[in-house]
């Protein structure tokens, strides 16, 4: 039997008042990682598709949205082992200096637990509100990934690109991790190509084992074609796990990590988390908490 996938959590479906307690409990229980959703701003007019061809439900513009890297630094101070990531961060909407600084800070303060989940973004009106043509968001993301990686690894960096130009600069401190992992989120052909070409992993949306298996196979084949297949690569999807059969099916599909939402409500979240951990042996093997101990 293939090793089971690691279990992770997202706070996207949890009231922010419960985040602290759930984060501490998840760390103590041995969950692999937790992931914060992210937007720079929420316009009143929603225009865009989260999945190709899908109509997205309206998002209230007054929904509380926190700075993801800043909040994860807070969680880092409360925890010891759990990974801390974004699901997903709009890297291309910001200057690379700002984003690179935020995640280098998180990685240093957490002792090397950061994972940078990035995406081109589906909410076109968010880009318009920031004064950026949303048609350029994919190219900006590609450029931002490249620039951030150089800032995180090189002693001096100068850049002449389409979106950003700057003379030679120093950038310290460097992240603890070398490289600091960048995982690409998204379901479109462009997102999967970006993950295969530039990513240290792929962050999928809600998947069944069978739908995930098709994407995993596609990414493996494409990475082999591109010559990136020998590099470490982590496949993560949001999925429902209610039985051992689900665990086995995700493992057989080649999924490394499943983001689960095991709580019935924000009020019961910690108790539900404890029950899920006990049911599926979270933290009881070398694939979760022991890795970070």
């Amino acid at each position: 039997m293939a090793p089971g996938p690691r279990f992770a959590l997202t706070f996207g479906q949890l009231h922010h008042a419960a985040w602290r307690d759930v984060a501490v409990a998840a760390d103590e229980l041995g969950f692999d990682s937790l992931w914060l959703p992210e937007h720079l701003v929420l316009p009143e007019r929603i225009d865009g598709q989260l999945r190709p061809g899908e109509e997205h439900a309206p998002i209230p513009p007054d929904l509380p949205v926190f700075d993801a890297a800043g909040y994860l630094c807070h969680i880092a101070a409360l925890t010891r082992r759990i990974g801390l990531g974004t699901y997903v961060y709009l890297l291309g909407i910001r200057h690379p200096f700002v984003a690179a600084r935020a995640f280098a800070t998180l990685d240093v303060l957490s002792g090397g637990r950061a994972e940078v989940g990035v995406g081109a973004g589906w909410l076109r009106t968010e880009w318009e509100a920031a004064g950026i043509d949303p048609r350029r968001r994919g190219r900006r993301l590609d450029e931002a990934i490249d620039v951030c990686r150089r800032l995180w690894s090189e002693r001096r960096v100068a850049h002449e690109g389409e979106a950003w130009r700057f003379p030679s600069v120093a950038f310290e401190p460097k992240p603890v991790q070398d490289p600091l992992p960048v995982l690409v989120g998204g379901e479109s052909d462009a997102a999967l190509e970006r993950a295969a070409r530039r990513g240290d992993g792929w962050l999928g949306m809600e998947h069944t084992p069978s739908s995930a298996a098709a994407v995993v196979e596609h990414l493996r084949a494409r990475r082999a074609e591109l010559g990136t297949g020998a590099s470490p690569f982590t496949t993560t999807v949001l999925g429902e796990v209610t039985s051992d059969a689900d665990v086995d099916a995700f493992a057989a599909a080649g999924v490394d990590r499943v983001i689960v939402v095991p709580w019935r409500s924000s009020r019961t979240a910690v108790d539900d988390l404890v029950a899920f951990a006990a049911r599926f042996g979270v933290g009881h093997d070398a694939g979760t908490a022991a890795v970070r101990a």
Side-chain angles (χ1 to χ4, degrees), residues 120-121 123-128 132-138:
L123 184 53
R124 288 190 289 267
T125 45
E126 181 176 11
W127 289 79
E128 292 168 353
I132 303 171
D133 183 349
R135 293 172 298 182
R136 297 175 54 209
R137 63 191 189 274

Side-chain angles (χ1 to χ4, degrees), residues 89-291:
Y89 186 82
L90 297 183
L91 182 62
I93 208 170
R94 298 164 171 89
H95 195 290
F97 291 165
V98 175
R101 183 72 66 199
F103 285 99
T105 299
L106 172 61
D107 202 52
V108 170
L109 294 181
S110 68
R113 292 186 278 147
E115 296 192 56
V116 190
V118 302
W122 62 273
L123 184 53
R124 288 190 289 267
T125 45
E126 181 176 11
W127 289 79
E128 292 168 353
I132 303 171
D133 183 349
R135 293 172 298 182
R136 297 175 54 209
R137 63 191 189 274
R139 299 198 304 275
R140 285 177 65 96
L141 175 56
D142 290 341
E143 187 175 342
I145 292 172
D146 294 344
V147 172
C148 283
R149 281 188 165 141
R150 292 189 64 200
L151 292 169
W152 290 330
S153 62
E154 298 180 17
R155 184 171 177 270
R156 294 286 187 271
V157 179
H159 180 72
E160 290 286 335
E162 177 185 351
W164 298 283
R165 298 174 179 83
F166 54 87
S168 181
V169 299
F171 189 90
E172 297 292 341
K174 302 301 185 193
V176 172
Q177 298 177 87
D178 183 18
L180 178 56
V182 177
L183 284 71
V184 176
E187 301 287 338
S188 67
D189 291 342
L192 296 181
E193 177 67 15
R194 182 173 294 114
R197 186 178 296 272
R198 281 185 165 82
D200 299 306
W202 171 63
L203 289 170
M205 295 181 57
E206 188 168 357
H207 277 271
T208 64
S210 60
S211 66
V215 180
V216 169
E217 182 59 32
H218 169 78
L219 288 170
R220 286 175 176 167
R222 185 62 182 134
R223 294 182 74 232
E225 293 171 354
L226 293 168
T228 60
S231 302
F233 192 86
T234 301
T235 299
T236 305
V237 299
L238 179 66
E240 186 175 7
V241 174
T242 60
S243 68
D244 293 338
D246 293 333
V247 177
D248 293 341
F250 276 115
V255 173
D256 301 301
R257 179 168 50 197
V258 181
I259 299 175
V260 295
V261 183
W263 40 77
R264 295 161 293 168
S265 70
S266 296
R267 291 181 179 179
T268 66
V270 171
D271 289 341
D272 294 340
L273 201 63
V274 171
F276 182 94
R279 170 65 180 82
F280 293 104
V282 173
H284 295 166
D285 58 30
T288 51
V291 172

